[in-house]
Amino acid sequence: MSLLEDFVAYLFSSPTTLLGVVALLLTLFLVSKSFTSQEFRREPPGPRPLPLLGNLLQLDLKRPYKTLCELSKKHGSVFTVYFGTNKVVVLAGYKAVKEALVSNAEEFGDRDIAPIFYDLNEGHGILFANGESWKELRRFAITTLKDFGMGKRLSEEKVLEECHHLIQVIEKHEGKPFDTTRPLNHATSNIISAIVYGSRFEYNDPRFKNMVRRANESIRIVGSAPIQLYNMFPRMVGWIKDRQLILKNLAMTVRDVKELIIHLKETLDPHICRGLVDCFLIRKQKEEDSCVMDTHYNENNLIFTVTNLFSAGTDTTATTLRWGLLLMAKYPHIQDQVQEELSRVIGSRQVQVDDRKNLPYTDAVIHETQRLANIVPMAIPHKTSQDVTFQGFFIKKGTTVLPLLTSVLADESEWESPNSFNPSHFLDKEGKCIRRDAFMPFSAGRRACLGESLARMELFLFFTSLLQHFRFTPPPGVTEDELDLTPAVGFTLNPSPHELCAVSRQ
Ligand code: HEM
């Protein structure tokens, strides 16, 4: 008999021996596994999780970015936290976020598609998609936006036309208090609509009003505590009211977008692209004619690319402008300096993009508004596309990663006064507007905002045109100190509900 046969015979000689050996093997296996992950594959540290709940009891679900900033003080710039059973690696501070998103762009460049985002797009479009389809559509969107003048003269004209409409709407309030949300959302939405559909909407168009309202409502609710719970335990809490509302909004928006696309299809001239939808339809037809296999130019990708651009392009820019006006009302001495510069350099003529270089103080105020407003505090969740060792820590492929943009925009080692509104952050000794590395409101790397240059142009032209025309003040009976800068709950950070007066200067 061989040694092996002797051993097997011994194993089966009694049930107790067999059980003992199985237990020994199991222990060895578990010890080796934990040894491998903790010693050779040191994972990012973090607070101890509870079974099933993870670190749920420690997280402020309405403002998770706040808890995460607190945790980074104790656990460092790369740490692990469990949202229920979902393991999440958080990156905090300029150095860690830049090293991950820029120096390791490929490894940290996939999108994590949480259950609510899968409900919304089912993996189509740009925002919540990955792989070849995402790559192709992102490239298509960037090229088309550029063709339609993103950041150039053509879109400048569109923004200037919209400034004119916006000013008219605000003038109608005759200096009395009003909520800035709707006019600013309509104005910014019309810029992306003109690029996507080829024409703007009237502000009183009921379909347009509803599309904008639903997009904003859904973005707000996606950041609510019940939706965070749904993302952690989708099977258990799928019935919640907030999710049902988001699904209802989605169904109505898809219906509206389909109608708009049908109209464009009926009037399509294959030689002229009026907007991004036309370009997509023409490309789709070409690929069908030449029997391209696995084409990404299909109906679902069209609908969700359009809804992605519409919502990403509306809420963000309008929210930043609302913060800008609120900050001007709260800090009148800064508004004075902006208006003095505008009067001195521009006078009463229409501002143009080329004027930016001659308006350094105003430019610095816009940058500082974006820094302090911090409207996308955790970026949009990323996911590792492969196993990666980062700052000495092992992070497995498919791990959710949160680049904590708020911790970059308020990084104490990068900004002189991170928590106050201080335009000097962006001014040198000669008063010129300067670039700062840790200015990252659009994120960075492979998934960075693709509308950055359009957004920057809009912010500049809308902000300067409004401040040329109006003086923004708190409503009568409210002092500047009483204007609240606490952000409302939401996926993007809006100012809390408030009203302002816009008093005509002309
Ligand atoms: C002030 C205005 C804006 C801000 C602060 C902003 C910020 C951001 C941020 C932080 C991200 C996530 C990046 C990441 O995951 O790392 C993002 C993604 C995106 N943004 Fe913007 N954005 C703005 C305006 C716009 C505009 C005007 C458009 C449309 C033209 C747009 C379209 C998108 C799209 C499509 C994505 C997804 C990119 C991808 O997943 O590949 N954004 N934006």
Side-chain angles (χ1 to χ4, degrees), residues 40-87:
F40 295 118
R41 294 173 149 197
R42 200 161 60 105
E43 294 186 1
R48 189 182 288 277
L50 293 171
L52 206 68
L53 295 179
N55 301 109
L56 190 59
L57 303 181
Q58 281 156 286
L59 289 167
D60 173 356
L61 284 187
K62 287 188 182 162
R63 296 189 167 87
Y65 57 93
K66 283 202 149 192
T67 321
L68 298 179
C69 282
E70 285 300 315
L71 287 173
S72 77
K73 287 186 190 143
K74 181 163 178 213
H75 299 284
S77 56
V78 186
F79 64 96
T80 309
V81 60
Y82 283 81
F83 283 65
T85 53
N86 190 18
K87 179 179 186 167

CSV table of all heavy atoms in Angstrom, one decimal, residues 40-87:
chain,number,residue,atom,x,y,z
A,40,PHE,N,-0.1,40.5,3.0
A,40,PHE,CA,0.5,40.7,1.6
A,40,PHE,C,-0.4,41.7,0.8
A,40,PHE,O,0.1,42.4,0.0
A,40,PHE,CB,0.7,39.4,0.9
A,40,PHE,CG,1.7,38.5,1.6
A,40,PHE,CD1,1.3,37.3,2.1
A,40,PHE,CD2,3.0,39.0,1.8
A,40,PHE,CE1,2.3,36.5,2.7
A,40,PHE,CE2,3.9,38.2,2.4
A,40,PHE,CZ,3.6,36.9,2.9
A,41,ARG,N,-1.7,41.6,1.1
A,41,ARG,CA,-2.6,42.5,0.3
A,41,ARG,C,-3.2,43.4,1.3
A,41,ARG,O,-4.4,43.2,1.6
A,41,ARG,CB,-3.6,41.7,-0.4
A,41,ARG,CG,-3.0,40.8,-1.5
A,41,ARG,CD,-4.1,39.9,-2.0
A,41,ARG,NE,-3.9,39.6,-3.4
A,41,ARG,CZ,-4.9,39.2,-4.2
A,41,ARG,NH1,-6.1,39.0,-3.8
A,41,ARG,NH2,-4.6,38.9,-5.5
A,42,ARG,N,-2.5,44.3,1.9
A,42,ARG,CA,-3.0,45.2,2.9
A,42,ARG,C,-4.1,46.1,2.3
A,42,ARG,O,-3.9,46.8,1.4
A,42,ARG,CB,-1.9,46.1,3.4
A,42,ARG,CG,-2.1,46.7,4.8
A,42,ARG,CD,-0.8,47.1,5.4
A,42,ARG,NE,-0.1,48.1,4.5
A,42,ARG,CZ,-0.1,49.4,4.8
A,42,ARG,NH1,-0.7,49.9,5.8
A,42,ARG,NH2,0.6,50.2,4.0
A,43,GLU,N,-5.3,45.9,2.9
A,43,GLU,CA,-6.4,46.7,2.3
A,43,GLU,C,-6.6,48.0,3.0
A,43,GLU,O,-6.1,48.2,4.2
A,43,GLU,CB,-7.7,45.9,2.4
A,43,GLU,CG,-7.6,44.7,1.5
A,43,GLU,CD,-8.9,43.9,1.4
A,43,GLU,OE1,-9.9,44.3,2.0
A,43,GLU,OE2,-8.8,42.9,0.6
A,44,PRO,N,-7.2,49.1,2.4
A,44,PRO,CA,-7.3,50.3,3.1
A,44,PRO,C,-8.0,50.2,4.5
A,44,PRO,O,-9.0,49.4,4.5
A,44,PRO,CB,-8.1,51.2,2.2
A,44,PRO,CG,-8.0,50.5,0.8
A,44,PRO,CD,-7.8,49.1,1.1
A,45,PRO,N,-7.5,50.9,5.5
A,45,PRO,CA,-8.1,50.7,6.8
A,45,PRO,C,-9.5,51.4,6.9
A,45,PRO,O,-9.9,52.0,5.9
A,45,PRO,CB,-7.2,51.5,7.7
A,45,PRO,CG,-6.6,52.5,6.8
A,45,PRO,CD,-6.5,51.9,5.5
A,46,GLY,N,-10.2,51.3,8.0
A,46,GLY,CA,-11.5,52.0,8.1
A,46,GLY,C,-12.2,51.5,9.4
A,46,GLY,O,-11.7,50.7,10.1
A,47,PRO,N,-13.3,52.2,9.7
A,47,PRO,CA,-14.0,51.8,10.9
A,47,PRO,C,-14.5,50.4,10.8
A,47,PRO,O,-14.8,49.9,9.7
A,47,PRO,CB,-15.2,52.8,10.9
A,47,PRO,CG,-15.3,53.3,9.5
A,47,PRO,CD,-14.0,53.2,8.8
A,48,ARG,N,-14.6,49.8,12.0
A,48,ARG,CA,-15.0,48.3,12.0
A,48,ARG,C,-16.5,48.2,11.6
A,48,ARG,O,-17.4,48.9,12.2
A,48,ARG,CB,-14.9,47.8,13.4
A,48,ARG,CG,-15.0,46.3,13.5
A,48,ARG,CD,-14.9,45.9,15.0
A,48,ARG,NE,-13.5,46.0,15.4
A,48,ARG,CZ,-12.6,45.0,15.2
A,48,ARG,NH1,-13.0,43.9,14.6
A,48,ARG,NH2,-11.4,45.2,15.7
A,49,PRO,N,-16.8,47.4,10.6
A,49,PRO,CA,-18.2,47.3,10.2
A,49,PRO,C,-19.0,46.3,11.0
A,49,PRO,O,-18.4,45.3,11.5
A,49,PRO,CB,-18.1,46.8,8.7
A,49,PRO,CG,-16.8,46.1,8.7
A,49,PRO,CD,-15.9,46.6,9.7
A,50,LEU,N,-20.3,46.4,11.0
A,50,LEU,CA,-21.2,45.4,11.7
A,50,LEU,C,-21.6,44.5,10.6
A,50,LEU,O,-21.7,44.9,9.4
A,50,LEU,CB,-22.4,46.1,12.3
A,50,LEU,CG,-22.2,47.0,13.5
A,50,LEU,CD1,-23.5,47.8,13.8
A,50,LEU,CD2,-21.7,46.2,14.7
A,51,PRO,N,-21.9,43.2,11.0
A,51,PRO,CA,-22.5,42.3,9.9
A,51,PRO,C,-23.7,42.9,9.3
A,51,PRO,O,-24.5,43.5,10.0
A,51,PRO,CB,-22.8,41.0,10.7
A,51,PRO,CG,-22.2,41.2,12.0
A,51,PRO,CD,-21.9,42.6,12.3
A,52,LEU,N,-23.9,42.8,8.0
A,52,LEU,CA,-25.0,43.2,7.2
A,52,LEU,C,-25.2,44.7,7.2
A,52,LEU,O,-25.3,45.3,6.1
A,52,LEU,CB,-26.3,42.6,7.8
A,52,LEU,CG,-27.4,42.5,6.7
A,52,LEU,CD1,-27.1,41.5,5.7
A,52,LEU,CD2,-28.7,42.1,7.4
A,53,LEU,N,-25.1,45.4,8.3
A,53,LEU,CA,-25.3,46.9,8.3
A,53,LEU,C,-24.0,47.6,7.9
A,53,LEU,O,-24.1,48.8,7.5
A,53,LEU,CB,-25.7,47.4,9.7
A,53,LEU,CG,-27.0,46.9,10.2
A,53,LEU,CD1,-27.2,47.4,11.6
A,53,LEU,CD2,-28.1,47.3,9.3
A,54,GLY,N,-22.9,47.0,8.0
A,54,GLY,CA,-21.6,47.7,7.7
A,54,GLY,C,-21.4,48.9,8.6
A,54,GLY,O,-21.6,48.7,9.8
A,55,ASN,N,-21.1,50.1,8.1
A,55,ASN,CA,-20.9,51.2,8.9
A,55,ASN,C,-22.1,52.2,8.9
A,55,ASN,O,-22.0,53.4,9.2
A,55,ASN,CB,-19.7,52.0,8.5
A,55,ASN,CG,-18.4,51.2,8.5
A,55,ASN,OD1,-17.9,50.8,7.5
A,55,ASN,ND2,-18.0,50.8,9.7
A,56,LEU,N,-23.3,51.6,8.5
A,56,LEU,CA,-24.5,52.4,8.3
A,56,LEU,C,-24.8,53.3,9.5
A,56,LEU,O,-25.2,54.4,9.4
A,56,LEU,CB,-25.7,51.4,8.1
A,56,LEU,CG,-27.0,51.9,7.7
A,56,LEU,CD1,-26.8,52.7,6.4
A,56,LEU,CD2,-28.0,50.8,7.5
A,57,LEU,N,-24.6,52.7,10.7
A,57,LEU,CA,-25.0,53.5,11.9
A,57,LEU,C,-24.1,54.7,12.1
A,57,LEU,O,-24.5,55.6,12.8
A,57,LEU,CB,-25.0,52.6,13.2
A,57,LEU,CG,-25.9,51.4,13.1
A,57,LEU,CD1,-25.8,50.5,14.3
A,57,LEU,CD2,-27.3,51.8,12.8
A,58,GLN,N,-22.9,54.7,11.5
A,58,GLN,CA,-22.0,55.9,11.6
A,58,GLN,C,-22.3,56.9,10.6
A,58,GLN,O,-21.8,58.0,10.7
A,58,GLN,CB,-20.6,55.4,11.5
A,58,GLN,CG,-20.1,54.7,12.8
A,58,GLN,CD,-18.9,53.8,12.4
A,58,GLN,OE1,-19.1,52.7,11.9
A,58,GLN,NE2,-17.7,54.2,12.7
A,59,LEU,N,-23.0,56.6,9.5
A,59,LEU,CA,-23.1,57.5,8.4
A,59,LEU,C,-24.3,58.4,8.5
A,59,LEU,O,-25.4,57.9,8.8
A,59,LEU,CB,-23.3,56.7,7.1
A,59,LEU,CG,-22.0,55.9,6.6
A,59,LEU,CD1,-22.5,54.9,5.5
A,59,LEU,CD2,-21.0,56.9,6.0
A,60,ASP,N,-24.1,59.7,8.1
A,60,ASP,CA,-25.2,60.6,8.0
A,60,ASP,C,-25.7,60.4,6.6
A,60,ASP,O,-25.1,60.9,5.6
A,60,ASP,CB,-24.7,62.0,8.2
A,60,ASP,CG,-25.8,63.1,8.0
A,60,ASP,OD1,-26.9,62.7,7.5
A,60,ASP,OD2,-25.5,64.3,8.2
A,61,LEU,N,-26.8,59.7,6.4
A,61,LEU,CA,-27.3,59.3,5.1
A,61,LEU,C,-27.7,60.5,4.3
A,61,LEU,O,-27.7,60.4,3.0
A,61,LEU,CB,-28.4,58.3,5.2
A,61,LEU,CG,-27.9,56.8,5.5
A,61,LEU,CD1,-29.1,55.9,5.4
A,61,LEU,CD2,-26.8,56.4,4.6
A,62,LYS,N,-28.1,61.6,4.9
A,62,LYS,CA,-28.5,62.8,4.2
A,62,LYS,C,-27.3,63.5,3.7
A,62,LYS,O,-27.3,64.1,2.6
A,62,LYS,CB,-29.3,63.7,5.0
A,62,LYS,CG,-30.7,63.2,5.3
A,62,LYS,CD,-31.5,64.3,6.0
A,62,LYS,CE,-32.9,63.8,6.4
A,62,LYS,NZ,-33.4,64.7,7.4
A,63,ARG,N,-26.2,63.5,4.4
A,63,ARG,CA,-25.0,64.2,4.0
A,63,ARG,C,-23.8,63.3,4.2
A,63,ARG,O,-22.9,63.6,5.1
A,63,ARG,CB,-24.8,65.5,4.8
A,63,ARG,CG,-26.0,66.5,4.5
A,63,ARG,CD,-25.7,67.8,5.2
A,63,ARG,NE,-26.7,68.8,4.6
A,63,ARG,CZ,-27.9,69.0,5.1
A,63,ARG,NH1,-28.3,68.3,6.2
A,63,ARG,NH2,-28.7,69.9,4.6
A,64,PRO,N,-23.8,62.1,3.5
A,64,PRO,CA,-22.7,61.2,3.7
A,64,PRO,C,-21.3,61.8,3.5
A,64,PRO,O,-20.3,61.4,4.2
A,64,PRO,CB,-22.9,60.1,2.7
A,64,PRO,CG,-23.9,60.6,1.7
A,64,PRO,CD,-24.7,61.7,2.4
A,65,TYR,N,-21.2,62.8,2.6
A,65,TYR,CA,-19.9,63.4,2.4
A,65,TYR,C,-19.3,64.0,3.6
A,65,TYR,O,-18.0,64.1,3.8
A,65,TYR,CB,-19.9,64.4,1.2
A,65,TYR,CG,-20.9,65.5,1.5
A,65,TYR,CD1,-20.6,66.7,2.1
A,65,TYR,CD2,-22.3,65.3,1.2
A,65,TYR,CE1,-21.5,67.7,2.3
A,65,TYR,CE2,-23.2,66.3,1.4
A,65,TYR,CZ,-22.8,67.5,2.0
A,65,TYR,OH,-23.8,68.5,2.2
A,66,LYS,N,-20.2,64.4,4.5
A,66,LYS,CA,-19.7,65.1,5.8
A,66,LYS,C,-19.0,64.0,6.7
A,66,LYS,O,-17.9,64.2,7.2
A,66,LYS,CB,-20.8,65.7,6.5
A,66,LYS,CG,-21.2,67.1,5.9
A,66,LYS,CD,-21.9,67.9,6.9
A,66,LYS,CE,-21.6,69.3,6.6
A,66,LYS,NZ,-22.0,70.3,7.6
A,67,THR,N,-19.8,62.9,6.9
A,67,THR,CA,-19.2,61.8,7.7
A,67,THR,C,-17.9,61.3,7.1
A,67,THR,O,-16.9,61.0,7.8
A,67,THR,CB,-20.2,60.6,7.7
A,67,THR,OG1,-21.5,61.0,7.8
A,67,THR,CG2,-19.8,59.7,8.9
A,68,LEU,N,-17.9,61.2,5.8
A,68,LEU,CA,-16.6,60.6,5.1
A,68,LEU,C,-15.4,61.6,5.3
A,68,LEU,O,-14.3,61.1,5.6
A,68,LEU,CB,-16.9,60.4,3.6
A,68,LEU,CG,-18.0,59.4,3.3
A,68,LEU,CD1,-18.2,59.2,1.8
A,68,LEU,CD2,-17.7,58.0,4.0
A,69,CYS,N,-15.7,62.9,5.3
A,69,CYS,CA,-14.6,63.8,5.6
A,69,CYS,C,-14.1,63.6,7.0
A,69,CYS,O,-12.9,63.7,7.3
A,69,CYS,CB,-15.1,65.3,5.4
A,69,CYS,SG,-15.1,65.8,3.7
A,70,GLU,N,-15.1,63.5,8.0
A,70,GLU,CA,-14.7,63.2,9.4
A,70,GLU,C,-13.8,62.0,9.5
A,70,GLU,O,-12.8,61.9,10.1
A,70,GLU,CB,-15.9,63.1,10.2
A,70,GLU,CG,-16.7,64.4,10.5
A,70,GLU,CD,-15.8,65.4,11.2
A,70,GLU,OE1,-15.1,64.9,12.2
A,70,GLU,OE2,-15.7,66.5,10.8
A,71,LEU,N,-14.3,60.9,8.8
A,71,LEU,CA,-13.6,59.6,8.9
A,71,LEU,C,-12.2,59.7,8.3
A,71,LEU,O,-11.3,59.0,8.8
A,71,LEU,CB,-14.4,58.5,8.2
A,71,LEU,CG,-15.7,58.0,8.9
A,71,LEU,CD1,-16.5,57.1,8.0
A,71,LEU,CD2,-15.4,57.4,10.2
A,72,SER,N,-12.0,60.5,7.3
A,72,SER,CA,-10.7,60.6,6.7
A,72,SER,C,-9.7,61.2,7.7
A,72,SER,O,-8.5,61.0,7.6
A,72,SER,CB,-10.8,61.4,5.4
A,72,SER,OG,-10.8,62.8,5.7
A,73,LYS,N,-10.2,62.0,8.6
A,73,LYS,CA,-9.2,62.6,9.6
A,73,LYS,C,-8.6,61.5,10.5
A,73,LYS,O,-7.5,61.6,10.9
A,73,LYS,CB,-10.0,63.6,10.5
A,73,LYS,CG,-10.3,64.9,9.8
A,73,LYS,CD,-10.9,65.9,10.7
A,73,LYS,CE,-11.4,67.1,9.9
A,73,LYS,NZ,-12.7,67.6,10.4
A,74,LYS,N,-9.4,60.5,10.7
A,74,LYS,CA,-8.9,59.4,11.6
A,74,LYS,C,-8.2,58.3,10.7
A,74,LYS,O,-7.2,57.7,11.2
A,74,LYS,CB,-10.1,58.8,12.3
A,74,LYS,CG,-9.8,57.7,13.2
A,74,LYS,CD,-10.9,57.4,14.2
A,74,LYS,CE,-10.4,56.2,15.1
A,74,LYS,NZ,-11.5,55.4,15.5
A,75,HIS,N,-8.8,58.0,9.6
A,75,HIS,CA,-8.3,56.8,8.8
A,75,HIS,C,-7.4,57.1,7.7
A,75,HIS,O,-6.9,56.2,7.0
A,75,HIS,CB,-9.5,55.9,8.4
A,75,HIS,CG,-10.3,55.4,9.5
A,75,HIS,ND1,-9.9,54.4,10.3
A,75,HIS,CD2,-11.5,55.9,10.0
A,75,HIS,CE1,-10.8,54.2,11.3
A,75,HIS,NE2,-11.8,55.1,11.1
A,76,GLY,N,-7.2,58.4,7.4
A,76,GLY,CA,-6.3,58.7,6.3
A,76,GLY,C,-6.9,59.0,5.0
A,76,GLY,O,-8.2,59.1,4.9
A,77,SER,N,-6.1,59.2,3.9
A,77,SER,CA,-6.6,59.6,2.7
A,77,SER,C,-7.2,58.5,1.8
A,77,SER,O,-7.8,58.8,0.7
A,77,SER,CB,-5.6,60.5,1.9
A,77,SER,OG,-4.4,59.7,1.8
A,78,VAL,N,-6.9,57.3,2.2
A,78,VAL,CA,-7.5,56.1,1.4
A,78,VAL,C,-8.1,55.2,2.5
A,78,VAL,O,-7.3,54.6,3.3
A,78,VAL,CB,-6.4,55.4,0.6
A,78,VAL,CG1,-7.1,54.3,-0.3
A,78,VAL,CG2,-5.6,56.3,-0.2
A,79,PHE,N,-9.4,55.1,2.6
A,79,PHE,CA,-9.9,54.2,3.6
A,79,PHE,C,-11.2,53.5,3.1
A,79,PHE,O,-11.8,53.9,2.1
A,79,PHE,CB,-10.2,55.0,4.9
A,79,PHE,CG,-11.2,56.1,4.8
A,79,PHE,CD1,-12.6,55.8,5.1
A,79,PHE,CD2,-10.9,57.3,4.3
A,79,PHE,CE1,-13.5,56.8,5.0
A,79,PHE,CE2,-11.9,58.3,4.2
A,79,PHE,CZ,-13.2,58.1,4.5
A,80,THR,N,-11.5,52.5,3.9
A,80,THR,CA,-12.7,51.6,3.5
A,80,THR,C,-13.8,51.9,4.4
A,80,THR,O,-13.7,52.1,5.6
A,80,THR,CB,-12.3,50.1,3.7
A,80,THR,OG1,-11.1,49.9,3.0
A,80,THR,CG2,-13.4,49.2,3.1
A,81,VAL,N,-15.0,51.9,3.8
A,81,VAL,CA,-16.2,52.1,4.7
A,81,VAL,C,-17.3,51.2,4.0
A,81,VAL,O,-17.3,51.0,2.8
A,81,VAL,CB,-16.6,53.6,4.8
A,81,VAL,CG1,-16.9,54.2,3.5
A,81,VAL,CG2,-17.7,53.8,5.7
A,82,TYR,N,-18.1,50.6,4.8
A,82,TYR,CA,-19.1,49.7,4.3
A,82,TYR,C,-20.5,50.3,4.3
A,82,TYR,O,-21.0,50.7,5.3
A,82,TYR,CB,-19.2,48.4,5.1
A,82,TYR,CG,-18.0,47.5,4.8
A,82,TYR,CD1,-16.8,47.7,5.4
A,82,TYR,CD2,-18.2,46.4,3.9
A,82,TYR,CE1,-15.7,46.8,5.1
A,82,TYR,CE2,-17.1,45.6,3.6
A,82,TYR,CZ,-15.9,45.8,4.2
A,82,TYR,OH,-14.8,45.0,3.9
A,83,PHE,N,-21.1,50.5,3.1
A,83,PHE,CA,-22.5,51.0,3.0
A,83,PHE,C,-23.3,49.7,3.0
A,83,PHE,O,-23.4,49.1,1.9
A,83,PHE,CB,-22.7,51.7,1.7
A,83,PHE,CG,-22.1,53.1,1.7
A,83,PHE,CD1,-20.8,53.4,1.8
A,83,PHE,CD2,-23.0,54.2,1.6
A,83,PHE,CE1,-20.2,54.7,1.8
A,83,PHE,CE2,-22.5,55.5,1.6
A,83,PHE,CZ,-21.1,55.7,1.7
A,84,GLY,N,-23.8,49.3,4.1
A,84,GLY,CA,-24.5,47.9,4.2
A,84,GLY,C,-23.4,46.9,4.0
A,84,GLY,O,-22.3,47.0,4.6
A,85,THR,N,-23.6,46.0,3.0
A,85,THR,CA,-22.6,45.0,2.7
A,85,THR,C,-21.6,45.5,1.6
A,85,THR,O,-20.7,44.8,1.3
A,85,THR,CB,-23.2,43.7,2.3
A,85,THR,OG1,-24.1,43.9,1.3
A,85,THR,CG2,-23.9,43.0,3.5
A,86,ASN,N,-22.0,46.6,1.0
A,86,ASN,CA,-21.1,47.1,-0.1
A,86,ASN,C,-19.9,47.8,0.4
A,86,ASN,O,-19.9,48.8,1.1
A,86,ASN,CB,-22.0,48.1,-1.0
A,86,ASN,CG,-21.3,48.4,-2.3
A,86,ASN,OD1,-20.3,47.7,-2.7
A,86,ASN,ND2,-21.7,49.5,-2.9
A,87,LYS,N,-18.8,47.2,0.0
A,87,LYS,CA,-17.5,47.8,0.4
A,87,LYS,C,-17.1,49.0,-0.5
A,87,LYS,O,-17.2,48.9,-1.7
A,87,LYS,CB,-16.4,46.7,0.2
A,87,LYS,CG,-15.1,47.1,0.6
A,87,LYS,CD,-14.2,45.9,0.4
A,87,LYS,CE,-12.8,46.1,0.8
A,87,LYS,NZ,-12.1,44.8,0.9
